Amino acid sequence: MLLAAVLGVRYGLLEAGAFPLDCGGSLAEGLGAWCAAKWLLVQSFVHQRLGWLSLACGVAAFVLRHRPLAWGGWLSGLAGLVLYSFDPSAVGALLSLLVLARGPQRRRGEEEAGDEPGDGLRVQRLG
């Protein structure tokens, strides 16, 4: 859904010329609703800010193995790939995807059935 929404914003609004061309360009001059939306959208990919957000979330999620950060890195990475922040978004999205693909972590020893090494393997003693 996010990918479809970002593609719609890029091709349906930004590149289609739906935003006004005569916006003042600064907050001091006052912005209308469409000019404010255009300003916020452009600020998200100036200096690849959306991509750097994805990269920061992806690295933090990979180091800390924190799934909510990984979701943030994955989603902002998808948006950054569509909205002109290719390089950092790609790395951030892939690092996040590695954390998400790994699945939830289990504690060590949680899957063991008993105290003996053979108990978890369901090995029976002879005799």
Side-chain angles (χ1 to χ4, degrees), residues 15-91:
E15 291 187 9
F19 289 116
L21 297 176
D22 58 348
C23 293
S26 72
L27 292 175
E29 296 176 15
L31 297 173
W34 280 106
C35 288
K38 179 182 178 181
W39 184 83
L40 287 172
L41 181 62
V42 169
Q43 290 302 310
S44 73
F45 57 80
V46 167
H47 304 294
Q48 298 189 3
R49 290 180 179 143
L50 195 55
W52 291 113
L53 171 69
S54 172
L55 183 61
C57 288
V59 168
F62 187 76
V63 169
L64 301 173
R65 294 182 182 159
H66 194 252
R67 290 180 64 82
L69 275 175
W71 277 108
W74 171 244
L75 295 175
S76 62
L78 283 178
L81 285 170
V82 175
L83 293 175
Y84 314 106
S85 300
F86 311 114
D87 298 332
S89 292
V91 176

Coordinates of all heavy atoms in Angstrom, one line a residue, residues 15-91:
E15 N 5.3 14.9 -10.6 CA 5.7 15.0 -11.9 C 4.6 15.3 -12.9 O 4.9 15.7 -14.0 CB 6.4 13.6 -12.4 CG 7.7 13.4 -11.6 CD 8.5 12.2 -12.1 OE1 8.0 11.6 -13.2 OE2 9.5 11.9 -11.5
A16 N 3.4 15.2 -12.5 CA 2.2 15.6 -13.3 C 2.0 17.1 -13.3 O 1.2 17.6 -14.1 CB 1.0 14.9 -12.9
G17 N 2.7 17.8 -12.4 CA 2.5 19.3 -12.3 C 1.2 19.7 -11.6 O 0.7 20.8 -11.8
A18 N 0.8 18.8 -10.7 CA -0.4 19.2 -9.9 C -0.2 20.2 -8.8 O -1.1 21.0 -8.4 CB -1.0 17.9 -9.2
F19 N 1.1 20.4 -8.4 CA 1.4 21.4 -7.4 C 1.6 22.7 -8.1 O 2.1 22.8 -9.3 CB 2.7 21.0 -6.7 CG 2.5 19.9 -5.7 CD1 3.2 18.7 -5.9 CD2 1.7 20.0 -4.6 CE1 3.0 17.6 -5.1 CE2 1.5 18.9 -3.7 CZ 2.2 17.8 -4.0
P20 N 1.3 23.8 -7.5 CA 1.5 25.1 -8.1 C 3.0 25.4 -8.3 O 3.8 25.0 -7.6 CB 0.9 26.1 -7.1 CG 0.7 25.4 -5.8 CD 0.7 23.9 -6.1
L21 N 3.2 26.2 -9.4 CA 4.6 26.5 -9.7 C 5.1 27.8 -9.1 O 6.3 28.0 -8.9 CB 4.8 26.7 -11.3 CG 4.5 25.4 -12.1 CD1 4.6 25.7 -13.6 CD2 5.5 24.3 -11.7
D22 N 4.2 28.6 -8.7 CA 4.6 30.0 -8.1 C 4.6 30.0 -6.6 O 4.2 31.0 -6.0 CB 3.7 31.0 -8.7 CG 2.2 30.8 -8.4 OD1 1.9 29.7 -7.9 OD2 1.4 31.7 -8.6
C23 N 5.0 29.0 -5.9 CA 5.1 29.0 -4.5 C 6.3 29.8 -4.1 O 7.3 29.9 -4.8 CB 5.3 27.5 -4.0 SG 3.9 26.5 -4.2
G24 N 6.1 30.5 -3.0 CA 7.2 31.4 -2.5 C 8.5 30.6 -2.2 O 9.6 31.1 -2.4
G25 N 8.4 29.4 -1.6 CA 9.6 28.6 -1.4 C 10.1 28.7 0.0 O 11.0 28.0 0.4
S26 N 9.6 29.6 0.8 CA 10.1 29.7 2.2 C 8.9 29.8 3.2 O 7.8 30.3 2.8 CB 11.0 30.8 2.4 OG 10.3 32.1 2.4
L27 N 9.1 29.4 4.4 CA 8.0 29.4 5.4 C 7.7 30.9 5.8 O 6.6 31.2 6.1 CB 8.4 28.6 6.6 CG 8.5 27.1 6.4 CD1 9.0 26.4 7.6 CD2 7.1 26.6 6.0
A28 N 8.7 31.8 5.7 CA 8.5 33.2 6.1 C 7.6 33.9 5.1 O 6.8 34.8 5.5 CB 9.9 33.9 6.1
E29 N 7.5 33.5 3.9 CA 6.6 34.2 2.9 C 5.2 33.7 3.0 O 4.3 34.2 2.4 CB 7.2 33.9 1.5 CG 8.5 34.5 1.2 CD 9.0 34.1 -0.2 OE1 8.2 33.7 -1.0 OE2 10.2 34.4 -0.4
G30 N 5.0 32.6 3.8 CA 3.7 32.1 3.9 C 3.4 31.1 2.8 O 3.7 31.3 1.6
L31 N 2.8 30.0 3.2 CA 2.5 28.9 2.2 C 1.1 28.5 2.2 O 0.5 28.4 3.3 CB 3.4 27.7 2.5 CG 4.9 27.8 2.5 CD1 5.5 26.5 3.0 CD2 5.3 28.1 1.0
G32 N 0.5 28.4 1.1 CA -0.9 27.8 1.0 C -0.8 26.3 1.2 O 0.2 25.7 1.4
A33 N -2.0 25.7 1.2 CA -2.0 24.3 1.5 C -1.3 23.4 0.5 O -0.5 22.6 0.9 CB -3.5 23.8 1.6
W34 N -1.5 23.7 -0.8 CA -0.8 23.0 -1.8 C 0.7 23.3 -1.8 O 1.6 22.4 -2.0 CB -1.4 23.3 -3.2 CG -2.6 22.5 -3.4 CD1 -3.9 22.9 -3.5 CD2 -2.7 21.0 -3.7 NE1 -4.8 21.9 -3.7 CE2 -4.0 20.7 -3.8 CE3 -1.8 20.0 -3.8 CZ2 -4.5 19.4 -4.1 CZ3 -2.2 18.7 -4.0 CH2 -3.5 18.5 -4.2
C35 N 1.0 24.6 -1.6 CA 2.5 24.9 -1.5 C 3.1 24.3 -0.3 O 4.3 23.9 -0.4 CB 2.6 26.4 -1.5 SG 2.2 27.2 -3.1
A36 N 2.4 24.2 0.8 CA 3.0 23.6 2.0 C 3.2 22.1 1.8 O 4.3 21.5 2.1 CB 2.1 23.8 3.2
A37 N 2.3 21.4 1.1 CA 2.4 20.0 0.8 C 3.6 19.8 -0.2 O 4.4 18.9 0.0 CB 1.2 19.5 0.2
K38 N 3.7 20.7 -1.2 CA 4.9 20.6 -2.1 C 6.2 20.8 -1.4 O 7.2 20.1 -1.6 CB 4.7 21.6 -3.2 CG 5.8 21.6 -4.2 CD 5.7 22.6 -5.3 CE 6.8 22.7 -6.2 NZ 6.6 23.7 -7.3
W39 N 6.2 21.8 -0.5 CA 7.5 22.1 0.3 C 7.9 20.9 1.1 O 9.0 20.5 1.2 CB 7.2 23.3 1.1 CG 8.5 23.8 1.9 CD1 9.5 24.5 1.4 CD2 8.8 23.5 3.2 NE1 10.4 24.7 2.3 CE2 10.1 24.0 3.5 CE3 8.2 22.7 4.2 CZ2 10.7 23.9 4.7 CZ3 8.8 22.6 5.4 CH2 10.0 23.2 5.7
L40 N 6.9 20.3 1.9 CA 7.2 19.1 2.7 C 7.7 18.0 1.9 O 8.6 17.3 2.3 CB 6.0 18.7 3.5 CG 5.6 19.7 4.7 CD1 4.3 19.3 5.3 CD2 6.7 19.6 5.7
L41 N 7.1 17.7 0.7 CA 7.5 16.6 -0.1 C 8.9 16.8 -0.7 O 9.7 15.9 -0.6 CB 6.5 16.5 -1.3 CG 6.8 15.3 -2.2 CD1 6.7 14.0 -1.5 CD2 5.8 15.4 -3.4
V42 N 9.2 18.0 -1.1 CA 10.5 18.3 -1.7 C 11.5 18.2 -0.5 O 12.6 17.7 -0.8 CB 10.5 19.7 -2.4 CG1 11.9 20.1 -2.7 CG2 9.6 19.6 -3.6
Q43 N 11.2 18.7 0.6 CA 12.2 18.6 1.7 C 12.5 17.2 2.1 O 13.6 16.9 2.7 CB 11.6 19.4 3.0 CG 11.6 20.9 2.8 CD 13.0 21.4 2.5 OE1 14.0 21.2 3.1 NE2 13.1 22.2 1.4
S44 N 11.6 16.2 1.9 CA 11.9 14.8 2.2 C 13.0 14.2 1.4 O 13.6 13.3 1.8 CB 10.6 14.0 2.1 OG 10.2 13.8 0.8
F45 N 13.2 14.7 0.1 CA 14.2 14.1 -0.7 C 15.3 15.1 -1.0 O 16.3 14.7 -1.7 CB 13.6 13.5 -1.9 CG 12.8 14.3 -2.8 CD1 13.4 15.1 -3.7 CD2 11.4 14.2 -2.8 CE1 12.6 15.9 -4.6 CE2 10.7 14.9 -3.6 CZ 11.3 15.8 -4.5
V46 N 15.3 16.3 -0.5 CA 16.5 17.2 -0.7 C 17.6 16.7 0.2 O 17.4 16.3 1.3 CB 16.1 18.7 -0.2 CG1 17.3 19.5 -0.1 CG2 15.1 19.3 -1.2
H47 N 18.8 16.6 -0.4 CA 19.9 16.0 0.3 C 19.7 14.5 0.7 O 20.3 14.1 1.7 CB 20.4 16.8 1.5 CG 20.7 18.2 1.2 ND1 21.7 18.6 0.4 CD2 20.0 19.4 1.6 CE1 21.7 19.9 0.3 NE2 20.7 20.4 1.0
Q48 N 18.7 13.9 0.1 CA 18.4 12.5 0.3 C 18.0 12.2 1.7 O 18.4 11.2 2.3 CB 19.5 11.6 -0.2 CG 19.8 11.7 -1.6 CD 20.8 10.7 -2.1 OE1 21.2 9.8 -1.4 NE2 21.1 10.8 -3.4
R49 N 17.3 13.1 2.4 CA 16.9 12.9 3.8 C 16.1 11.6 4.0 O 16.3 11.0 5.1 CB 16.1 14.1 4.2 CG 17.0 15.4 4.3 CD 16.2 16.6 4.8 NE 17.0 17.7 4.9 CZ 16.7 18.9 4.5 NH1 15.4 19.2 4.1 NH2 17.5 19.9 4.6
L50 N 15.2 11.3 3.2 CA 14.4 10.1 3.3 C 15.3 8.8 3.3 O 15.2 7.9 4.0 CB 13.3 10.0 2.3 CG 12.2 9.0 2.5 CD1 11.5 9.2 3.8 CD2 11.2 9.2 1.4
G51 N 16.3 8.9 2.4 CA 17.3 7.8 2.3 C 18.1 7.6 3.5 O 18.4 6.5 4.0
W52 N 18.6 8.8 4.0 CA 19.4 8.7 5.2 C 18.6 8.2 6.4 O 19.2 7.5 7.3 CB 20.1 10.1 5.5 CG 21.1 10.4 4.5 CD1 21.0 11.4 3.6 CD2 22.3 9.7 4.2 NE1 22.2 11.4 2.8 CE2 23.0 10.4 3.2 CE3 23.0 8.6 4.8 CZ2 24.2 10.0 2.7 CZ3 24.2 8.2 4.3 CH2 24.8 8.9 3.3
L53 N 17.4 8.5 6.5 CA 16.5 8.0 7.6 C 16.4 6.5 7.4 O 16.6 5.8 8.4 CB 15.1 8.6 7.5 CG 14.1 8.0 8.4 CD1 14.4 8.3 9.9 CD2 12.7 8.5 8.0
S54 N 16.2 6.0 6.2 CA 16.2 4.6 6.0 C 17.5 3.9 6.4 O 17.5 2.8 7.0 CB 15.8 4.3 4.6 OG 15.9 2.9 4.3
L55 N 18.6 4.5 6.0 CA 19.9 3.9 6.3 C 20.1 3.9 7.8 O 20.6 2.9 8.4 CB 21.0 4.7 5.6 CG 22.4 4.2 5.8 CD1 22.5 2.7 5.3 CD2 23.4 5.1 5.1
A56 N 19.8 5.0 8.5 CA 20.0 5.0 10.0 C 19.1 4.0 10.7 O 19.6 3.2 11.6 CB 19.6 6.4 10.5
C57 N 17.8 3.8 10.2 CA 17.0 2.8 10.8 C 17.5 1.4 10.5 O 17.4 0.5 11.3 CB 15.5 3.0 10.3 SG 14.7 4.4 11.0
G58 N 17.9 1.2 9.3 CA 18.4 -0.1 8.9 C 19.6 -0.5 9.6 O 19.7 -1.7 10.1
V59 N 20.6 0.4 9.8 CA 21.8 0.0 10.5 C 21.5 -0.2 12.0 O 22.0 -1.2 12.6 CB 22.9 1.2 10.4 CG1 24.0 1.0 11.3 CG2 23.4 1.2 8.9
A60 N 20.7 0.6 12.6 CA 20.3 0.4 14.0 C 19.5 -0.9 14.2 O 19.8 -1.6 15.1 CB 19.5 1.6 14.5
A61 N 18.6 -1.2 13.3 CA 17.9 -2.4 13.4 C 18.8 -3.6 13.2 O 18.6 -4.7 13.9 CB 16.8 -2.5 12.3
F62 N 19.7 -3.5 12.3 CA 20.6 -4.7 12.1 C 21.6 -4.9 13.3 O 21.8 -6.0 13.7 CB 21.5 -4.4 10.8 CG 22.3 -5.6 10.4 CD1 21.7 -6.6 9.7 CD2 23.7 -5.6 10.6 CE1 22.5 -7.7 9.3 CE2 24.4 -6.6 10.2 CZ 23.9 -7.7 9.6
V63 N 22.0 -3.8 13.8 CA 22.9 -4.0 15.0 C 22.2 -4.4 16.2 O 22.6 -5.3 17.0 CB 23.7 -2.6 15.3 CG1 24.4 -2.7 16.6 CG2 24.6 -2.3 14.1
L64 N 21.0 -3.8 16.5 CA 20.2 -4.1 17.7 C 19.3 -5.3 17.5 O 18.7 -5.7 18.5 CB 19.5 -2.8 18.1 CG 20.3 -1.6 18.4 CD1 19.4 -0.4 18.6 CD2 21.2 -1.9 19.6
R65 N 19.0 -5.7 16.3 CA 18.0 -6.7 16.0 C 16.7 -6.3 16.5 O 16.0 -7.1 17.2 CB 18.4 -8.1 16.5 CG 19.7 -8.6 15.9 CD 20.0 -10.0 16.4 NE 21.3 -10.4 15.7 CZ 22.0 -11.4 16.2 NH1 21.7 -11.9 17.4 NH2 23.1 -11.7 15.6
H66 N 16.3 -5.1 16.2 CA 15.0 -4.5 16.7 C 14.1 -4.4 15.5 O 14.2 -3.6 14.6 CB 15.4 -3.1 17.2 CG 14.3 -2.6 18.1 ND1 13.5 -1.5 17.6 CD2 13.8 -2.9 19.3 CE1 12.6 -1.2 18.5 NE2 12.8 -2.0 19.6
R67 N 13.0 -5.2 15.5 CA 12.1 -5.3 14.4 C 11.3 -4.0 14.1 O 11.1 -3.7 13.0 CB 11.1 -6.5 14.7 CG 11.8 -7.8 14.5 CD 10.9 -9.0 14.7 NE 9.9 -9.1 13.8 CZ 10.0 -9.7 12.6 NH1 11.2 -10.1 12.2 NH2 9.0 -9.8 11.7
P68 N 10.8 -3.3 15.1 CA 10.2 -2.0 14.8 C 11.1 -1.0 14.0 O 10.6 -0.3 13.1 CB 9.7 -1.4 16.2 CG 9.6 -2.6 17.0 CD 10.7 -3.6 16.6
L69 N 12.3 -1.0 14.4 CA 13.3 -0.1 13.6 C 13.4 -0.7 12.2 O 13.6 0.1 11.2 CB 14.6 -0.1 14.3 CG 14.9 0.9 15.4 CD1 16.2 0.8 16.0 CD2 14.7 2.3 14.8
A70 N 13.4 -2.0 12.1 CA 13.5 -2.6 10.8 C 12.3 -2.2 9.9 O 12.5 -2.0 8.7 CB 13.7 -4.1 10.9
W71 N 11.1 -2.3 10.5 CA 10.0 -1.8 9.7 C 10.1 -0.4 9.3 O 9.7 -0.1 8.1 CB 8.7 -2.1 10.5 CG 8.2 -3.5 10.4 CD1 8.2 -4.4 11.4 CD2 7.6 -4.1 9.3 NE1 7.7 -5.6 11.0 CE2 7.3 -5.5 9.7 CE3 7.3 -3.7 8.0 CZ2 6.8 -6.4 8.8 CZ3 6.8 -4.6 7.1 CH2 6.5 -5.9 7.5
G72 N 10.6 0.5 10.2 CA 10.8 1.9 9.8 C 11.8 2.0 8.7 O 11.6 2.8 7.7
G73 N 12.9 1.3 8.7 CA 13.9 1.3 7.7 C 13.4 0.8 6.4 O 13.7 1.3 5.3
W74 N 12.6 -0.3 6.4 CA 12.0 -0.9 5.2 C 11.0 0.0 4.5 O 11.1 0.2 3.3 CB 11.4 -2.3 5.6 CG 10.6 -2.9 4.5 CD1 9.3 -3.1 4.4 CD2 11.1 -3.4 3.2 NE1 8.9 -3.7 3.3 CE2 10.0 -3.9 2.5 CE3 12.4 -3.4 2.6 CZ2 10.2 -4.5 1.2 CZ3 12.5 -4.0 1.4 CH2 11.4 -4.5 0.7
L75 N 10.1 0.6 5.3 CA 9.1 1.4 4.7 C 9.7 2.7 4.2 O 9.3 3.2 3.1 CB 8.0 1.6 5.7 CG 7.2 0.4 6.1 CD1 6.1 0.7 7.1 CD2 6.5 -0.2 4.8
S76 N 10.5 3.4 5.0 CA 11.2 4.6 4.5 C 12.1 4.3 3.3 O 12.3 5.2 2.5 CB 11.9 5.3 5.6 OG 12.9 4.5 6.2
G77 N 12.7 3.1 3.3 CA 13.5 2.7 2.2 C 12.7 2.6 0.9 O 13.2 3.0 -0.2
L78 N 11.6 2.0 1.0 CA 10.7 1.9 -0.2 C 10.3 3.2 -0.7 O 10.3 3.5 -1.9 CB 9.5 1.1 0.1 CG 9.6 -0.5 0.2 CD1 8.3 -1.1 0.6 CD2 10.1 -1.0 -1.1
A79 N 9.9 4.1 0.2 CA 9.5 5.5 -0.2 C 10.7 6.2 -0.8 O 10.6 6.9 -1.8 CB 9.0 6.2 1.0
G80 N 11.9 6.0 -0.2 CA 13.1 6.7 -0.7 C 13.5 6.3 -2.1 O 14.0 7.0 -2.9
L81 N 13.3 5.0 -2.3 CA 13.7 4.5 -3.7 C 12.8 5.1 -4.7 O 13.3 5.3 -5.9 CB 13.5 2.9 -3.7 CG 14.6 2.2 -3.0 CD1 14.2 0.7 -2.9 CD2 15.9 2.3 -3.7
V82 N 11.6 5.4 -4.4 CA 10.7 6.0 -5.4 C 10.9 7.5 -5.5 O 10.8 8.1 -6.5 CB 9.2 5.7 -5.1 CG1 8.2 6.4 -6.0 CG2 8.9 4.2 -5.2
L83 N 11.2 8.1 -4.3 CA 11.3 9.6 -4.2 C 12.8 10.1 -4.3 O 13.2 10.8 -3.4 CB 10.6 10.1 -3.0 CG 9.1 9.9 -3.0 CD1 8.5 10.4 -1.6 CD2 8.5 10.7 -4.1
Y84 N 13.6 9.6 -5.2 CA 14.8 10.1 -5.6 C 16.0 10.0 -4.5 O 16.9 10.7 -4.6 CB 14.7 11.6 -5.9 CG 13.5 11.9 -6.8 CD1 12.4 12.5 -6.3 CD2 13.6 11.6 -8.1 CE1 11.3 12.8 -7.1 CE2 12.5 11.9 -9.0 CZ 11.4 12.5 -8.5 OH 10.3 12.8 -9.3
S85 N 15.9 9.1 -3.6 CA 17.0 8.9 -2.6 C 17.5 7.4 -2.8 O 17.5 6.7 -1.8 CB 16.4 9.1 -1.2 OG 16.0 10.4 -1.0
F86 N 18.0 7.1 -3.9 CA 18.3 5.7 -4.3 C 19.3 5.1 -3.4 O 19.1 4.0 -2.9 CB 18.7 5.6 -5.7 CG 17.8 6.3 -6.7 CD1 18.3 7.4 -7.4 CD2 16.5 5.9 -6.9 CE1 17.4 8.1 -8.3 CE2 15.7 6.6 -7.7 CZ 16.1 7.7 -8.4
D87 N 20.5 5.7 -3.3 CA 21.7 5.0 -2.7 C 21.5 4.7 -1.2 O 21.5 3.5 -0.9 CB 22.9 5.8 -2.9 CG 23.3 5.9 -4.4 OD1 22.9 5.1 -5.2 OD2 23.9 7.0 -4.8
P88 N 21.2 5.6 -0.4 CA 21.1 5.3 1.0 C 19.8 4.5 1.3 O 19.8 3.6 2.2 CB 21.1 6.6 1.8 CG 20.8 7.6 0.8 CD 21.2 7.1 -0.5
S89 N 18.8 4.7 0.5 CA 17.5 4.0 0.7 C 17.7 2.5 0.4 O 17.1 1.6 1.1 CB 16.4 4.5 -0.2 OG 16.0 5.8 0.3
A90 N 18.4 2.2 -0.6 CA 18.6 0.8 -1.0 C 19.4 0.0 0.1 O 19.0 -1.1 0.5 CB 19.4 0.7 -2.3
V91 N 20.4 0.6 0.6 CA 21.2 -0.1 1.7 C 20.3 -0.2 2.9 O 20.3 -1.3 3.6 CB 22.5 0.7 1.9 CG1 23.3 0.1 3.1 CG2 23.4 0.7 0.7

